[in-house]
């Protein structure tokens, strides 16, 4: 082996800065020199004693750096024969293409492989930007009245579990969720939503979106057909796209999803997504007749029904509509709910109620997706429900949202009555204002976003081209004053259009 | 329309129990009678006045129930002509099959469609049960020393953000994560792990598993080939199965993943999963030579490298090994890390560092998967890092785990020295004890689980059949005393085999 004296090393400059210890600077220098090709495989490096002397430093940091470089395989040492750059380091090291490029050799581009994404990765990336979701301004859809949340009570419950945490609060939890929480959810859903289930069927998720994603993964193979409401919830579409499914849009009218259309055209669908209590975004309620027709069809055809009951806590006219799941006698309905709207979105807690024979598959899918949900908030929310704060909060918010809805309808009628037509039942946290025919709702939403107002264009809920544009206006998170100001600004966005 | 007097109604029995209000009982009774076919479409129902009189109740609850039934479309009312069961209710209502079955008609089974799951759903469900993960007993892999976590400091930080939450802590957060947290992670990774990135490339996840799942979804189409270490991390396998990928096992030796084998056999692989700092489960470190070979190959062939750096904070002999990502000059490496092992698993916080041109795709995939991570813990952990608690905790745990590792090695050598052979570098939170040839490690793990001990069979990390069984023993979460007792019990499980 050719001996290369220490003086042949490229110059090492040590910085006097205290933040980077000498051993680290030396390690970094050697690694860069080896991977950059300045030090060649098989080249001898100086002894630690000589290098320390040359650098006018103590021997300790040099020993530390060499130990690390030997451990990682950049250097190799032979007893009595000194230390060398590992001969096994590949000759065409990484920085070489760059070096060659600097030397005018243009091999670089050809030598680099493609940077391919999956088809679903490309499809998701190419979705149009939703700039109206970048701000939390007036009319942000799904945003509840955060300033009316009983934060004092809540933070005490959080502190209770955080200060003296049980082992369960810190260690690995079950993929299905924290059992007392699941029991509280089962009880609540049975009493208030007419859902027929026990705690063993409840999987706690990080919100309704994860429930959708897991359902898509468990139920759908690539290219399987899934029926969706048109217009419908855009994020549900994204979850099904991730699973590689084919989307079949089904029209919606004043009775909700057009079940007759489903039965006529969608014999081969593997699953169907529906928001029967309060259709998203149009706000209609599915009639009892259609519910029964849909369930009969699903049972006969072997189609899974995914029921998204995202905001049924807030129904102002009559009592909440009972769930589709409660009518199902064949275990065909997967029922999804969330606490994002009733409590607050950053809680990241939702749930899915699954037929008993699907529990094992959902469990495995959750385990493979992200193992389990953080336990602290699950425990705090269990107490919040058990101690009655939850029911009280819903009652208070129902009153508040009735007022906010009235204020919004009022402001729209007074300020924009000439250019909008309101639709949507007296329920939930949003309504739809149809715009004059020919108005580009995406353009209006973009302009509004620039003014700090978050309105969603109705057309973003369509797979096909809608006959008429509109705006989806959330009223959960806006005060009467913000409503008044917001609508003034919104009027300008439509006028200028 | 045929008039049916009220007396033709099946009997309604109201319960005197206070828990269920009368209007709810009535609503439930009518809905059941209609969906069950006891009340037929078009059948007239009594007036609210008559029904109230008959039931000896006030008229209010009857009105409430009817209002709800009308709203949901079970009943229909005609001005001056009374109230009827909606004629549009389908004739073959849901409970009919059951009824027919009772009548001896055996159409039921044939009329029900199949209950198909997706192929990945079936594959995941059929994975063997991992009963050793059902308990948190001695040697549970990946479990840190929870009782040594500075819970006082931590709960103060949690309370700080929980008591007076900013709007950001409660509302919708960004899919990439809480910005100050991402900045803290970028700084930490640059300083300690040699990762080259800025905060814009960091996506906060609910743990390393979600980072794996998102990577699989973004990078892999169904049937794409992905190379994995053999033996390797089982949950990584599950994430790739969810994406429909084909798994290509690559052998592991004392220098880590056999990169020569990758280059020879895997030209068409789309991605490669690797644990270079501390191979899971064998504990070896990938040599510098192989790192450079692997990166060169990845660049030329256009293969993505997924680097899982799950426990590199704990390296006892030398300083932590620098990441593969830091050597990569072509943006080929996706780098994954987690706080589950350094803090605690139920925190549900991890991260993935993605090449800049993949940020948009990961963002979209996260949005479609579960939108964003809960913000409270992200904010608390940011403070924990910035205020120096994080670095201090790692230093303390490193000392503790050195001791625990020594105690475990000691106990194994004294009590099971005749039946085990230990492998794994002085790093991390687990080691592997090979069992005598021919021992069924799954059987040993099952027996141990029955005694409350959680050891993972080495064979569960193999896709193929391993030459020799072994046990993966975590030592993060066990005290010296638990180690001694645990190994005594474990010896019995192996002996009896």
């Amino acid at each position: 082996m050719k001996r290369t004296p220490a003086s042949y090393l490229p110059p090492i400059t040590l910085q006097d800065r205290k933040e980077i210890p000498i051993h680290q600077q030396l390690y970094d220098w050697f690694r860069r020199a080896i991977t950059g090709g300045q030090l060649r495989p098989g080249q001898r490096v100086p002894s630690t004693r000589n290098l320390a002397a040359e650098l006018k430093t103590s021997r300790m940091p040099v020993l530390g750096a060499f130990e690390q470089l030997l451990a990682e395989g950049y250097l190799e040492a032979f007893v009595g024969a000194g230390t060398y750059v590992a001969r096994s380091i590949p000759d065409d090291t990484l920085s070489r293409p760059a070096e060659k490029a600097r030397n005018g050799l243009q091999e670089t581009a050809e030598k680099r492989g493609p940077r391919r994404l999956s088809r679903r990765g490309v499809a998701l990336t190419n979705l149009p930007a939703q700039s109206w979701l970048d701000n939390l301004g007036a009319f942000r859809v799904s945003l509840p009245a955060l300033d009316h949340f009983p934060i004092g009570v809540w933070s005490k419950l959080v502190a209770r579990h955080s200060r003296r945490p049980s082992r369960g609060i810190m260690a690995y939890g079950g993929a299905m969720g924290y059992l007392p929480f699941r029991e509280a959810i089962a009880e609540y859903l049975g009493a208030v939503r007419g859902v027929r289930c026990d705690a063993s069927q409840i999987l706690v998720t990080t919100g309704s979106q994860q429930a959708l994603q897991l359902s898509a993964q468990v139920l759908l193979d690539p290219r399987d057909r899934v029926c969706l409401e048109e217009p419908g919830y855009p994020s549900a579409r994204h979850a099904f796209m991730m699973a590689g499914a084919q989307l079949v849009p089904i029209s919606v009218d004043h009775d909700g999803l057009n079940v007759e259309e489903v039965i006529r055209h969608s014999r081969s669908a593997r699953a169907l997504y529906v928001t029967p209590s309060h259709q998203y975004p149009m706000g209609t309620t599915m009639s009892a007749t259609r519910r029964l027709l849909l369930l009969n069809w699903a049972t006969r055809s072997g189609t899974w029904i995914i029921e998204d009951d995202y905001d049924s806590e807030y129904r102002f006219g009559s009592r909440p509509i009972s769930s589709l799941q409660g009518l199902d006698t064949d275990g065909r309905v997967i029922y999804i709910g969330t606490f994002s709207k009733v409590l607050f979105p950053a809680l990241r807690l939702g749930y899915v109620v699954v037929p008993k024979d699907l529990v094992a598959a959902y469990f495995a899918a959750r385990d493979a997706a992200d193992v389990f949900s953080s336990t602290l908030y699950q425990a705090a929310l269990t107490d919040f429900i058990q101690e009655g704060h939850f029911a009280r909060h819903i009652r208070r918010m129902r009153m508040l949202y009735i007022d906010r809805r009235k204020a919004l309808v009022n402001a729209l009628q007074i300020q924009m009555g000439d250019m909008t037509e309101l639709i949507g039942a007296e329920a939930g946290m949003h309504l739809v204002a149809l715009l004059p025919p020919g108005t580009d709702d995406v353009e209006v939403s973009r302009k509004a976003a620039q003014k700090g107002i978050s309105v969603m264009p109705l057309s973003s809920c369509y797979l096909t081209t809608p006959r008429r544009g509109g705006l989806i206006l959330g009223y959960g998170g806006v005060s009467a004053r913000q409503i008044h100001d917001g609508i003034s600004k919104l009027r300008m966005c439509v006028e200028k259009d």
Side-chain angles (χ1 to χ4, degrees), chain A:
Chain A
M1 193 175 292
K2 201 182 123 202
R3 290 200 160 220
T4 315
S7 55
Y8 278 45
L9 277 186
I12 304 176
T13 321
L14 294 179
Q15 298 178 324
D16 214 20
R17 292 188 302 151
K18 286 258 163 63
E19 309 98 85
I20 309 173
I22 302 290
H23 69 85
Q24 175 81 50
Q25 292 191 41
L26 275 172
Y27 166 81
D28 288 344
W29 185 89
F30 271 96
R31 207 185 60 162
R32 239 188 343 260
I34 293 168
T35 61
Q38 287 89 39
L39 288 180
R40 313 293 309 155
Q43 180 172 353
R44 186 170 187 177
V45 298
S47 70
T48 53
R49 189 183 305 269
N50 288 347
L51 189 55
E54 190 179 332
L55 296 170
K56 297 184 178 62
T57 174
S58 88
R59 208 176 146 201
M60 280 301 289
V62 184
L63 274 169
F66 272 44
E67 203 177 284
Q68 181 83 3
L69 291 161
L70 285 162
E72 296 189 14
Y74 289 101
L75 298 181
E76 52 190 357
F78 301 94
V79 178
T83 304
Y84 300 81
V85 175
R87 284 157 305 173
S88 54
I89 297 284
D91 230 15
D92 54 339
T93 44
L94 285 167
S95 305
R96 298 293 295 290
E99 197 184 283
K100 283 183 192 160
R102 275 197 303 275
N103 296 341
L105 300 170
Q106 283 305 328
E107 305 174 90
T108 320
E110 301 135 68
K111 280 214 166 172
R112 303 215 162 170
R115 300 180 70 79
R116 278 176 308 196
L117 301 188
S118 65
R119 279 187 293 272
R120 63 191 147 218
V122 172
L124 285 170
T125 314
N126 290 342
L127 289 172
Q130 301 197 291
S131 58
W132 45 88
L133 293 181
D134 291 346
N135 74 74
L136 293 170
F139 313 126
R140 169 70 184 246
V141 170
S142 305
L143 195 65
L146 299 178
D147 47 343
H148 288 254
F149 183 72
I151 195 69
V153 170
W154 176 253
S155 65
K156 269 193 201 112
L157 296 177
V158 169
R160 180 192 293 174
H161 291 282
S162 175
R163 251 199 316 267
R164 258 167 271 113
S166 65
R167 200 170 158 77
I169 297 266
M170 295 181 78
Y172 285 93
M176 299 296 288
Y178 179 61
L179 187 59
F181 184 45
R182 294 159 63 206
E183 286 166 348
I185 295 171
E187 200 179 322
Y188 165 71
L189 292 178
V192 176
R193 307 293 306 120
V195 170
R196 287 190 263 187
C197 70
D198 58 53
S200 73
Q201 293 171 262
I202 292 180
L203 170 66
V204 175
T205 64
T206 56
S208 61
Q209 190 63 28
Q210 186 175 51
L212 283 168
Q213 188 230 11
L214 293 176
S215 299
Q217 301 286 341
V218 165
L219 304 176
L220 298 169
D221 282 315
R223 283 181 302 285
D224 273 352
R225 288 153 61 91
V226 57
C227 295
L228 297 155
E229 294 160 325
E230 174 83 342
Y233 182 50
S235 297
R237 220 191 289 155
H238 303 163
F240 296 122
M241 280 170 62
M242 281 271 271
Q246 262 190 288
L247 310 181
V248 182
I250 304 288
S251 70
V252 164
D253 61 23
H254 58 280
D255 272 343
L257 181 77
N258 191 329
V259 176
E260 295 78 3
E261 194 178 316
V262 174
I263 297 172
R264 271 200 309 279
H265 296 303
S266 313
R267 197 160 284 275
S268 65
R270 194 74 164 265
L272 179 145
Y273 170 81
V274 66
T275 52
S277 303
H278 187 226
Q279 203 274 330
Y280 190 93
M282 302 308 257
T284 52
T285 300
M286 186 185 266
S287 69
T289 302
R290 285 203 174 157
R291 283 167 194 249
L292 297 170
L293 278 174
L294 183 63
L295 289 171
N296 282 347
W297 167 79
T299 298
R300 280 197 312 272
S301 60
T303 311
W304 301 107
I305 308 279
I306 301 168
E307 175 179 22
D308 189 351
D309 211 10
Y310 61 101
D311 72 355
S312 52
E313 287 81 6
Y314 299 127
R315 190 149 202 104
F316 312 136
S318 51
R319 286 183 303 129
I321 303 290
S322 285
S323 65
L324 199 57
Q325 197 270 5
L327 282 176
D328 171 25
T329 56
D330 189 39
R332 276 286 152 202
V333 176
I334 289 107
Y335 176 91
I336 292 174
T338 177
F339 292 102
S340 294
K341 291 171 187 63
V342 187
L343 278 85
F344 55 94
L347 184 67
R348 305 319 296 136
L349 284 177
Y351 47 86
V352 52
V353 182
V354 298
K356 292 203 174 187
D357 59 340
L358 300 191
V359 168
Y362 270 78
F363 176 97
R366 176 65 196 271
D367 189 60
D370 71 341
V371 200
F372 72 110
S373 279
S374 180
T375 318
L376 177 71
Y377 272 161
Q378 294 189 67
L381 184 45
T382 308
D383 292 354
F384 193 76
I385 295 171
Q386 306 290 25
E387 295 173 13
H389 307 296
F390 183 67
R392 201 171 307 129
H393 181 58
I394 291 179
R395 278 196 303 274
R396 288 180 52 231
M397 290 306 100
R398 200 176 282 146
M399 301 312 294
L400 181 72
Y401 295 158
I402 288 176
D403 289 347
R404 290 189 168 181
R405 185 188 174 90
K406 272 187 200 149
L408 175 58
V409 168
N410 212 24
L412 280 166
Q413 281 167 347
I414 293 172
Q415 296 186 61
M416 294 178 74
D418 53 334
M419 48 173 77
T420 57
E421 182 188 324
L422 306 189
I423 48 176
E426 301 218 331
M429 294 162 55
H430 74 265
L431 53 73
V432 171
L434 292 178
L435 292 172
T439 313
D440 181 347
D441 55 7
V442 171
E443 193 50 36
V444 172
S445 294
R446 278 215 197 98
K447 277 187 191 161
Q450 283 163 12
K451 293 184 195 288
I453 289 177
S454 177
V455 289
M456 217 165 128
L458 180 59
S459 61
S460 71
C461 296
Y462 279 83
L463 266 174
T464 57
T465 308
R467 275 181 308 156
R468 192 167 163 192
L471 301 174
I472 309 174
L473 298 150
Y475 48 80
V478 282
S479 65
R481 192 199 160 78
Q482 285 174 301
I483 287 173
H484 184 270
D485 294 353
I487 295 298
S488 308
K489 288 186 190 159
L490 199 56
R491 182 178 173 94
M492 291 190 288
C493 301
V494 179
E495 268 178 342
K496 273 191 238 157
D497 195 72

